Amino acid sequence: MADKQPAIFLQGVERHYRQGEATLDILQGAELAVWPGQSVALMAPSGTGKSTLLHVAGLLEHADAGEVFINGTATAGLPDTERTRIRRNQIGFIYQFHHLLPEFSALENVMLPQMICGLSRREASKRADELLSYLGLKERLTHRPAELSGGEQQRVAIARAAANAPSILLADEPTGNLDPNTADHVFSTLKQLVQASGLAAIVATHNADLAARMDRRVTLRDGAVVELP
Ligand code: ADP
Ligand code: MG
């Protein structure tokens, strides 16, 4: 079935930061549409605005101008409570560092976002178990983050991002802190999940090998999104 609208659509997005007397023009008319099931690598040098773009796309920051459509819904003018609701239900985030809660097990870390969204303990636990098992962590459910390897921690973070069955996954250099072999494995896991769940994914990365395995590659030039071959 053809999807009629992008999962995420940035239209004419502007983002400027004031720095003393100067203004930094980070995003200037940025346009990007990502369709369900599609993965996009965002590759650009440090300081060009990758994290800014992901924060605006994920409704963590407001654009100064332009619009962010999430599954067709214009979000710029929505109240914060509604933006938060959309973020919780439709968007999953993965960062360079896992940001798991240290005093909770892998299972509990994946249960929490679901319980915040109103699922019962039993339902949340069942889905967390399924997700972690799918990502190869069946034997690690009761481990705390400190008892997991870097790659395992990041796979738990992927499971947590997917916990509420979002339609959009935003990842900010998710393998940037891992050795090449582990990065490769974690990336494969991420890609598998994106394909199986029909997620739209934007992944900021400096790793050209990993980017080559995604559906599209884009960069930022003078604040605009430019498609790479
Ligand atoms: P990247 O993720 O590509 O490394 P960022 O989006 O983090 O780039 O940052 C882009 C530019 O915007 C950088 O020069 C950074 O210093 C600046 N910047 C980011 N956030 C802020 C902020 N809250 N206030 C001022 N400047 C910022
Ligand atoms: Mg960044």
Side-chain angles (χ1 to χ4, degrees), residues 2-211:
D3 292 293
K4 292 197 178 56
Q5 66 192 5
I8 186 153
F9 176 30
L10 307 187
Q11 188 182 54
V13 166
E14 308 272 329
R15 190 75 179 99
H16 313 281
Y17 295 118
R18 287 212 61 84
Q19 195 169 67
E21 295 294 288
T23 303
L24 299 173
D25 302 313
I26 302 304
L27 299 176
Q28 299 192 83
E31 306 257 347
L32 177 65
V34 186
W35 296 77
Q38 194 174 54
S39 59
V40 179
L42 174 57
M43 307 182 72
S46 289
T48 49
K50 299 182 298 298
S51 296
T52 302
L53 183 142
L54 292 174
H55 292 162
V56 170
L59 313 187
L60 289 166
E61 274 184 48
H62 272 280
D64 295 308
E67 188 55 271
V68 177
F69 294 91
I70 304 291
N71 295 304
T73 301
T75 60
L78 294 176
D80 280 345
T81 49
E82 189 58 17
R83 287 168 61 91
T84 299
R85 196 186 63 78
I86 291 174
R87 187 167 61 243
R88 277 193 190 141
N89 289 299
Q90 306 205 37
I91 303 172
F93 280 95
I94 305 163
Y95 299 95
Q96 182 171 0
F97 299 98
H98 56 77
H99 296 302
L100 298 170
L101 297 173
E103 67 274 31
F104 290 99
S105 69
L107 191 78
E108 289 165 335
N109 267 283
V110 182
M111 288 170 65
L112 280 168
Q114 301 178 73
M115 293 174 70
I116 289 168
C117 276
L119 260 70
S120 71
R121 237 193 130 71
R122 197 174 54 80
E123 291 168 311
S125 168
K126 181 165 180 289
R127 175 155 171 88
D129 187 325
E130 284 168 0
L131 260 175
L132 288 164
S133 301
Y134 180 73
L135 298 180
L137 294 165
K138 181 79 190 154
E139 312 301 324
R140 299 286 183 277
L141 300 181
T142 60
H143 290 230
R144 292 183 183 195
E147 300 160 346
L148 298 169
S149 71
E152 288 169 343
Q153 290 168 345
Q154 209 52 333
R155 279 186 282 151
V156 176
I158 292 170
R160 179 186 53 185
N164 287 329
S167 50
I168 298 158
L169 196 68
L170 303 175
D172 199 349
E173 306 194 30
T175 62
N177 191 37
L178 303 173
D179 67 74
N181 276 334
T182 309
D184 196 82
H185 183 220
V186 167
F187 183 84
S188 299
T189 307
L190 181 63
K191 187 138 192 278
Q192 187 186 340
L193 182 73
V194 166
Q195 277 168 343
S197 322
L199 283 159
I202 307 176
V203 181
T205 181
H206 289 290
N207 188 323
D209 292 336
L210 299 185

